[in-house]
Amino acid sequence: MSDTLQLDKRQRAMLAEMGVRVWTPIEQAPEIHNAGPSTIQTKKSQTTTAYQAAVNATATVAVKPTDFEVITQTANNLDWLGLREAVTSCQACGLCTSRRNVVFGTGSHVSTPDTKNEIQPVDWLIVGEAPGENEDAEGEPFVGQAGQLLDNMLRAMQLSRTGEFLNAPKPAQSIFVTNVLKCRPPGNRNPAPEEVAQCMPYLERQIALLQPKIILAMGRFAAQALLRNSIDKVEAIPLGKLRGQVHRLGNTPVVVTYHPAYVLRNLPEKAKLWADACLAMATLNTTQL
Ligand code: URA
């Protein structure tokens, strides 16, 4: 005899009313548990988001998946527009209640939702910490003072994240700029570990689709998030010890540097930011030979 709790519709409704969730065991689950990740991609016209579809699909099996597992499973199978849509509608952590805009990221060749769903490998992926007030308001990364410093640095390297270049030929190298967190932590507080964990599958999918030739990780949250599986106890290593060298995320070289906002508060460190950018540029140019 099955030891599964037998509940009728009314009892289930009562439990739901009390906030008690009942997970249906696998034998009783309807057909939908066959819905593999590849079936949960959504088109713009569908009202169900990729994230919600995954939650619905997994809600019918006996083992309750964590939000993290749902997001990872979902993100791993999304194409670029599907990923953008999943990120934009994400409600996996509390930041969704205070954000004004989700900041997916922008780049010189994949910048708008209208961009075709074809993704070309990028040369540079630049990863910051999280949107601040300005980014939250505008839905784009690095639009405040830290962004100005980043843009100045890129200009000095003959790069441009918009693909536009004043009085010069189009930059030869493409860039995508994003953050570890896609939503602003209230009051610009530090990202919480669980927020980073929830958001990482999105960054990982961005990396898988963009196939950057070099990643520049700006600040300790970006460095720790990207190198957590490559360097033992990376969170215990000061950023000053991680910068100035080339790390690896799989086969992709990663250069760590100070966050531009930190540099704005500590101007003598600007030379190190520039040195790290030059190291990244040299690494990229070497791998292209
Ligand atoms: N700081 C970041 O880390 N990211 C932004 O987008 C803006 C400020």
Side-chain angles (χ1 to χ4, degrees), residues 167-189:
N167 306 323
K170 220 173 146 59
Q173 294 177 342
S174 52
I175 307 183
F176 192 79
V177 180
T178 190
N179 287 304
V180 174
L181 292 192
K182 310 303 189 210
C183 299
R184 180 191 181 207
N188 295 351
R189 65 160 166 75

Side-chain angles (χ1 to χ4, degrees), residues 15-258:
L15 287 172
E17 203 51 45
M18 290 157 61
V20 177
R21 300 177 83 175
V22 180
W23 302 98
T24 311
I26 278 172
E27 316 87 77
Q28 294 179 9
E31 291 297 293
I32 192 167
H33 61 246
N34 271 345
S38 59
T39 62
I40 58 176
Q41 291 190 15
T42 55
K43 296 212 174 70
K44 278 249 171 274
S45 57
Q46 289 176 289
T47 49
T48 310
T49 65
Y51 172 74
Q52 201 53 51
V55 172
N56 293 345
T58 46
T60 60
V61 299
V63 180
K64 182 188 174 200
T66 62
D67 280 351
F68 173 73
E69 283 163 345
V70 171
I71 295 171
T72 306
Q73 194 191 38
T74 308
N76 280 347
N77 291 281
L78 292 173
D79 59 17
W80 189 252
L81 291 185
L83 180 64
R84 181 187 276 276
E85 198 173 312
V87 172
T88 308
S89 57
C90 182
Q91 301 191 351
C93 78
L95 298 183
C96 68
T97 60
S98 51
R99 72 182 177 215
R100 280 192 278 179
N101 283 293
V102 175
V103 180
F104 181 74
T106 50
S108 44
H109 73 310
V110 280
S111 54
T112 70
D114 312 323
T115 311
K116 278 201 259 150
N117 199 12
E118 294 157 9
I119 210 80
Q120 305 287 326
V122 299
D123 294 302
W124 291 79
L125 177 66
I126 300 181
V127 182
E129 178 179 315
E133 188 178 8
N134 297 314
E135 292 75 21
D136 182 48
E138 296 193 27
E140 291 207 7
F142 286 100
V143 293
Q145 278 190 329
Q148 274 172 20
L149 176 56
L150 175 63
D151 281 337
N152 290 344
M153 189 179 81
L154 294 175
R155 199 169 307 117
M157 295 159 72
Q158 311 261 296
L159 299 170
S160 147
R161 58 176 157 147
T162 60
E164 309 282 324
F165 224 43
L166 277 182
N167 306 323
K170 220 173 146 59
Q173 294 177 342
S174 52
I175 307 183
F176 192 79
V177 180
T178 190
N179 287 304
V180 174
L181 292 192
K182 310 303 189 210
C183 299
R184 180 191 181 207
N188 295 351
R189 65 160 166 75
N190 286 340
E194 59 278 12
E195 291 161 354
V196 174
Q198 300 282 15
C199 229
M200 270 313 280
Y202 296 139
L203 179 58
E204 280 164 358
R205 187 62 184 158
Q206 286 180 317
I207 294 171
L209 291 170
L210 292 169
Q211 295 172 48
K213 297 195 181 102
I214 185 92
I215 299 178
L216 186 63
M218 300 194 306
R220 87 182 149 100
F221 287 96
Q224 289 172 6
L226 289 164
L227 298 175
R228 72 198 188 291
N229 294 330
S230 320
I231 300 180
D232 199 30
K233 300 206 175 68
V234 67
E235 62 288 347
I237 306 176
L239 196 98
K241 292 228 158 67
L242 290 170
R243 62 160 294 277
Q245 51 185 305
V246 181
H247 305 278
R248 295 255 151 205
L249 175 63
N251 288 328
T252 311
V254 178
V255 171
V256 168
T257 193
Y258 291 123

